[in-house]
Amino acid sequence: MYDNMAGSRLGQWLCLVVCILILLKAEGASIPITIVESAVSSGALCLDGSPPGYHFEKGSGSGIDNWLVHMEGGGWCESVESCVSRRDTFRGSSLKMEKTMGFSGILGSKQAANPDFYNWNRIKIRYCDGSSFTGDVEAVDPETKLYFRGGRVWQAVIDELLAKGMQNARNAILSGCSAGGLAAILHCDKFQSLLPATARVKCVSDAGYFIHGTDISGGSRIESFFGQVVKTHESVKNLPASCTSKMNPELCFFPQYVAQTMRTPLFIINSAYDSWQIKNILAPTAVDSKKEWKDCKLDLKKCSATQLQTVQDYRTQFLKAVNTGLGSSSTRGLWIDSCYAHCQSGSASTWLGDKSTEVGDTKMGKAVGDWFYDRSAIEKIDCPYPCNPTCVSVDSES
């Protein structure tokens, strides 16, 4: 009797496990990492010298020749010291990365939740170089053993994807979040140039439009920080020549200068009150010695009236930088909300869910799809904070 009961329970447990595995597979929750072994010979390596990786879910049906390449975010390292601190983490080594990953939001595989891109070839490139995929230093210090090779990493992954069928793409998007969203802008024209001339190719930057902004001290800490990133990784050679030929090359890490000469259509998903930018561009800790902004940066509801006015002025800075960069281009797309958030395209709840944030009665996922397929022009700019009751809390991959 007990044997039968035990057997029955075992059968039930096995059934449950199988059902969970099937569900996980259906949700795209177990997409394995692919390591680019061929990158070793070209020196296209993560900070620690390990080869880079990506997750790839193949397209099907009408999406078989469509490609969405999304780059992971995760900040930057601007000095040898900060890069050493990243080197032995998943931000600097493929050896430390999780072996499987789930896809959702813009990468989601459910038709109802991602109708325009669900059956495309969808790729997430892992971020392990700390330079938004721009670095290229040949020498490796024998003491630190740091490899500054982000530009080579990007090219090695793209080359492998081209060989896997992307060279025949009919439609393609280069996208990314945060540091990956910046990379989507910096590499956009190059990406387009590697694909068939007949392909529809566009780029989508989520929380990657970091502005050359003024901080609460009246200075620009972000200018010196980005300048150090570019110097440490010797990034200039991988920044768009259309920008570096016209101004101080280090400033070409800022989207507002790069976008001015871009040829490829660009869509900006961003909050005008991006939480990373408020914390690190407007009120970086280094210029807030009395920590007067500590609570305000954590929750805008805790800002004083004076601080909130400064935050509103930052929105004005941000919108001006967007217009400086993209001008009145007929190919630009904008979805700029007033939520205190960072990186919003990677979650099903914010992309096209029942309760997703709306700007001008339009959800992000619909806006990007309509823009990509030229169904309508999309320029959605939200009213000032705190006007939008549909905001969903998101703050990731800073």
Side-chain angles (χ1 to χ4, degrees):
M1 178 178 174
Y2 292 111
D3 286 345
N4 289 339
M5 287 177 63
S8 176
R9 285 174 182 165
L10 180 61
Q12 289 174 347
W13 275 110
L14 286 173
C15 182
L16 181 61
V17 168
V18 169
C19 289
I20 290 172
L21 289 173
I22 290 171
L23 180 62
L24 287 172
K25 186 172 178 58
E27 292 289 312
S30 56
I31 300 160
I33 193 168
T34 298
I35 300 298
V36 188
E37 302 294 354
S38 61
V40 176
S41 61
S42 61
L45 304 168
C46 298
L47 285 170
D48 73 331
S50 60
Y54 61 91
H55 301 260
F56 178 18
E57 188 163 35
K58 291 183 179 180
S60 61
S62 60
I64 200 84
D65 293 321
N66 300 336
W67 295 73
L68 198 162
V69 181
H70 184 87
M71 292 170 287
E72 185 178 35
W76 309 268
C77 56
E78 86 289 4
S79 64
V80 168
E81 293 75 22
S82 63
C83 290
V84 165
S85 71
R86 287 171 75 100
R87 183 189 59 201
D88 300 320
T89 74
F90 71 98
R91 297 287 189 218
S93 171
S94 62
L95 301 175
K96 303 292 185 178
M97 294 173 184
E98 58 266 59
K99 298 298 181 275
T100 62
M101 174 178 280
F103 280 178
S104 60
I106 193 171
L107 291 172
S109 60
K110 281 188 165 185
Q111 185 172 2
N114 191 23
D116 286 309
F117 311 117
Y118 75 98
N119 63 349
W120 285 32
N121 294 284
R122 287 159 289 110
I123 297 95
K124 187 164 190 174
I125 303 178
R126 302 306 301 274
Y127 182 41
C128 67
D129 64 274
S131 72
S132 283
F133 301 93
T134 61
D136 193 355
V137 179
E138 182 62 38
V140 178
D141 187 318
E143 289 189 18
T144 63
K145 295 183 175 63
L146 282 172
Y147 291 78
F148 299 109
R149 305 280 180 78
R152 294 193 206 181
V153 165
W154 186 84
Q155 191 63 58
V157 175
I158 296 298
D159 284 346
E160 186 158 301
L161 295 175
L162 288 167
K164 288 186 173 182
M166 194 166 71
Q167 62 185 351
N168 300 315
R170 288 174 54 245
N171 294 291
I173 292 175
L174 182 68
S175 70
C177 147
S178 194
L182 173 58
I185 296 172
L186 299 179
H187 288 291
C188 183
D189 281 348
K190 187 173 184 182
F191 180 73
Q192 188 273 334
S193 72
L194 295 170
L195 296 171
T198 54
R200 185 202 309 255
V201 182
K202 300 185 180 185
C203 301
V204 177
S205 173
D206 175 14
Y209 206 92
F210 299 96
I211 69 167
H212 189 192
T214 303
D215 60 42
I216 54 174
S217 73
S220 182
R221 294 280 300 187
I222 192 65
E223 180 183 324
S224 58
F225 178 78
F226 274 0
Q228 281 302 118
V229 172
V230 171
K231 283 180 182 176
T232 298
H233 293 265
E234 295 184 15
S235 298
V236 169
K237 67 194 80 170
N238 286 313
L239 299 178
S242 58
C243 179
T244 58
S245 63
K246 294 183 177 182
M247 61 171 60
N248 175 356
E250 292 174 11
L251 290 178
C252 294
F253 213 66
F254 286 103
Q256 68 201 75
Y257 305 123
V258 173
Q260 292 178 29
T261 54
M262 281 176 61
R263 303 182 308 274
T264 312
L266 174 64
F267 193 101
I268 301 297
I269 298 168
N270 228 103
S271 170
Y273 307 87
D274 181 276
S275 56
W276 192 95
Q277 294 196 43
I278 298 295
K279 293 170 185 173
N280 297 280
I281 298 182
L282 176 62
T285 304
V287 298
D288 183 29
S289 57
K290 296 181 181 179
K291 298 184 178 180
E292 293 172 345
W293 280 77
K294 184 180 178 182
D295 291 339
C296 175
K297 289 193 295 184
L298 289 174
D299 183 354
L300 295 187
K301 295 188 185 73
K302 297 180 180 178
C303 297
S304 68
T306 303
Q307 287 173 328
L308 193 56
Q309 184 55 54
T310 302
V311 169
Q312 299 292 9
D313 291 343
Y314 188 82
R315 173 182 183 266
T316 302
Q317 278 194 73
F318 180 84
L319 294 177
K320 183 179 178 181
V322 169
N323 284 322
T324 297
L326 281 74
S328 57
S329 168
S330 61
T331 64
R332 77 177 190 175
L334 302 176
W335 192 90
I336 297 173
D337 62 347
S338 61
C339 309
Y340 195 50
H342 183 71
C343 284
Q344 302 176 83
S345 67
S347 165
S349 65
T350 49
W351 178 246
L352 198 60
D354 291 341
K355 296 182 179 180
S356 291
T357 303
E358 296 182 7
V359 179
D361 296 323
T362 305
K363 294 175 180 177
M364 185 193 317
K366 185 178 190 307
V368 174
D370 285 350
W371 168 81
F372 182 81
Y373 283 113
D374 300 316
R375 292 191 290 252
S376 63
I378 300 291
E379 292 196 10
K380 303 291 183 182
I381 299 177
D382 213 351
C383 45
Y385 172 89
C387 70
N388 193 333
T390 69
C391 284
V392 178
S393 179
V394 180
D395 189 1
S396 62
E397 289 198 11
S398 54

